[in-house]
Amino acid sequence: MMLADLETALAIIQSTLTVEPERVSASDAAKVFGVLNDLERAVVAGKTLFAGRAADSGVWREQGHKSAASWMAETSGTGLGEVTGMLETSERLRSLPETTEALRRGELSGPQVREIASAAVVNPSSEGHLLRAAQTSGLKGLKDEARRVKARAVSETEARARYEQIRKQRSLVMWIDDNGVGRLEARLTPDDLGRLKVSLQRETNAVFNEARRAGHRERTEAYAADALVALVTGTSAIGSSAAATSTRSNAKTPPPTTMMHLRVDAAALRRGRLEDGEVCEIPGVGPVPLATATAAIGNAVLKVIVTEGVDVLSVANMKRAIPAHLRRALENRDEKCVVPGCDVAQGLENDHYQIDFMSDGPTELWNLCRLCRWHHYMKTHCGYAITGGPGSWEWQAPLSEKNPVLTS
């Protein structure tokens, strides 16, 4: 009976689609749109609920497909990735009764149920909280909260291992598509994306202001594309402006190029791991390991917002840039990376090597050294240490050989 009812409903809907929209009043068209939207949610719910069971049927094998996902993708005319996600969600719903019932009631869209299921399966106690977020925070807010739930569900060691996996798989691919459009796709760690996002936003604002003065109006995305090219090719309006200002005013230290925001709970910093309700994240980007909160992020300015519950304990501007006279002395002393055997002399980063910056280590010459980006990363995230001093530097490996960041 159920199949017959569905076929009847489909026939009714198809007959509705034969009506020309122009022949219907605008108010009635709005009502039709609302009903179709509810139907769409119901269809997505039904497909998600029945997908797993349909895969068990073996029909896909009889029709010559190598997988149930391949069969469903061809049948529905959608991508394989989308169908695979639906099958994963269908499987996860078997252990999520509240989400399943909300889906049956038509309260969740396809993207919402996927976000809830992916996070709640990791931490089942968060299911109710995520369902409430779906009703009050919109899809973006739900995605942010789902990422936080998943971040809190893993240990700091696991988070660092995952971060290292992302770092190993980082990539940038550029190509010309069939329409002659230049395209690029990047896979970055969250903190690198955060730095890029902040720098790009500042440059985009500069490009927008120049365009406005010239009387041009374009989409924000177009200005962002111009900003990316300007930053990479060294034609940045901000850089040129900063250099000119520095020359005119005889300023010794140019302003820093980026301002990174990082929000972290004080208790998590003290404890060394995240618990329910706590976050360590770059706003607008997402969660990062606690190690990132205590690491030097390039030569940017890092604004650390330390919270305890709803109260902000402190907002500190962590200035990574050092005074010009001290920078000159450091560059003169450490002409290349101080790690023995490393000859890298370009793109060096400053490090508070004796007393960590987040532990109130002073920005003084005795506490500073210059490391290449790779060794700086190893020291920050992989447990390595630099000891000794000028003329007697020593690079020390972690005490434990079971460091998951090194072995993953």
Side-chain angles (χ1 to χ4, degrees):
M1 184 64 182
M2 178 185 68
L3 184 58
D5 291 340
L6 287 175
E7 291 174 342
T8 300
L10 177 60
I12 293 173
I13 294 171
Q14 289 176 331
S15 66
T16 301
L17 299 180
T18 62
V19 178
E20 293 294 333
E22 291 77 11
R23 297 178 178 273
V24 179
S25 69
S27 59
D28 283 345
K31 294 176 183 177
V32 170
F33 180 85
V35 172
L36 291 175
N37 187 63
D38 291 340
L39 285 172
E40 182 181 26
R41 284 201 172 199
V43 169
V44 169
K47 289 177 67 176
T48 303
L49 290 169
F50 282 88
R53 186 59 174 159
D56 295 338
S57 69
V59 170
W60 54 271
R61 190 179 294 106
E62 296 171 4
Q63 296 187 11
H65 287 271
K66 63 180 180 180
S67 68
S70 173
W71 167 66
M72 290 181 179
E74 182 178 291
T75 302
S76 60
T78 55
L80 187 61
E82 182 178 344
V83 171
T84 301
M86 182 175 64
L87 283 169
E88 290 176 349
T89 301
S90 183
E91 177 63 29
R92 289 164 176 167
L93 286 175
R94 296 180 182 182
S95 60
L96 300 172
E98 292 182 61
T99 305
T100 300
E101 287 306 309
L103 185 63
R104 292 182 188 278
R105 293 193 298 269
E107 297 174 359
L108 300 174
S109 66
Q112 285 177 321
V113 73
R114 284 195 293 272
E115 291 296 329
I116 293 172
S118 67
V121 75
V122 175
N123 182 3
S125 65
S126 67
E127 184 179 9
H129 170 68
L130 290 167
L131 285 169
R132 289 189 292 273
Q135 300 301 319
T136 60
S137 302
L139 183 58
K140 182 182 182 303
L142 175 61
K143 286 183 175 181
D144 290 341
E145 192 56 36
R147 281 196 292 266
R148 294 181 186 122
V149 167
K150 286 184 277 192
R152 290 192 291 262
V154 300
S155 68
E156 177 64 9
T157 299
E158 291 170 323
R160 291 176 60 191
R162 180 182 297 172
Y163 177 96
E164 172 65 5
Q165 190 65 28
I166 295 172
R167 191 199 66 79
K168 285 182 177 179
Q169 295 177 350
R170 69 194 184 281
S171 64
L172 175 64
V173 181
M174 295 180 284
W175 73 99
I176 302 295
D177 68 16
D178 294 340
N179 295 318
V181 179
R183 306 284 294 274
L184 60 85
E185 178 178 307
R187 293 169 58 91
L188 305 171
T189 58
D191 49 324
D192 277 346
L193 177 61
R195 288 193 293 175
L196 177 62
K197 187 175 181 179
V198 172
S199 295
L200 195 57
Q201 184 59 59
R202 293 183 71 244
E203 184 68 23
T204 300
N205 291 340
V207 172
F208 170 79
N209 290 333
E210 287 187 346
R212 183 173 57 182
R213 285 193 294 269
H216 298 311
R217 292 290 187 273
E218 292 187 84
R219 296 174 297 111
T220 300
E221 294 84 356
Y223 293 134
D226 293 341
L228 178 62
V229 174
L231 285 173
V232 174
T233 59
T235 57
S236 166
I238 292 177
S240 301
S241 175
T245 302
S246 176
T247 301
R248 289 194 300 270
S249 63
N250 295 320
K252 294 183 178 180
T253 305
T257 58
T258 60
M259 167 69 81
M260 173 74 76
H261 289 72
L262 181 69
R263 180 170 178 259
V264 61
D265 282 271
L269 273 179
R270 291 191 293 266
R271 189 187 312 110
R273 68 177 187 278
L274 291 170
E275 293 189 351
D276 286 349
E278 297 175 342
V279 298
C280 179
E281 62 183 24
I282 300 172
V285 175
V288 295
L290 282 168
T292 301
T294 58
I297 303 181
N299 288 315
V301 175
L302 176 64
K303 177 173 284 188
V304 180
I305 305 173
V306 182
T307 62
E308 188 116 58
V310 297
D311 298 323
V312 176
L313 295 186
S314 66
V315 178
N317 288 331
M318 309 299 190
K319 295 186 178 180
R320 305 294 180 183
I322 62 177
H325 71 282
L326 185 55
R327 178 181 294 276
R328 286 193 294 269
L330 182 61
E331 291 174 350
N332 183 66
R333 190 195 73 188
D334 301 341
E335 295 181 345
K336 61 181 183 179
C337 176
V338 301
V339 174
C342 183
D343 294 323
V344 175
Q346 301 297 322
L348 301 183
E349 299 177 348
N350 303 321
D351 182 71
H352 291 65
Y353 79 98
Q354 294 197 53
I355 304 176
D356 186 78
F357 186 83
M358 291 297 289
S359 299
D360 297 324
T363 304
E364 297 178 12
L365 189 59
W366 64 266
N367 193 40
L368 295 170
C369 71
R370 298 213 300 163
L371 299 171
C372 68
R373 182 173 175 82
W374 169 248
H375 283 120
H376 199 188
Y377 170 79
M378 297 289 283
K379 177 179 179 294
T380 300
H381 290 282
C382 303
Y384 282 77
I386 186 75
T387 60
S392 61
W393 295 109
E394 294 183 10
W395 183 242
Q396 298 182 351
L399 295 178
S400 173
E401 295 297 328
K402 297 181 179 180
N403 190 327
V405 175
L406 302 178
T407 58
S408 63

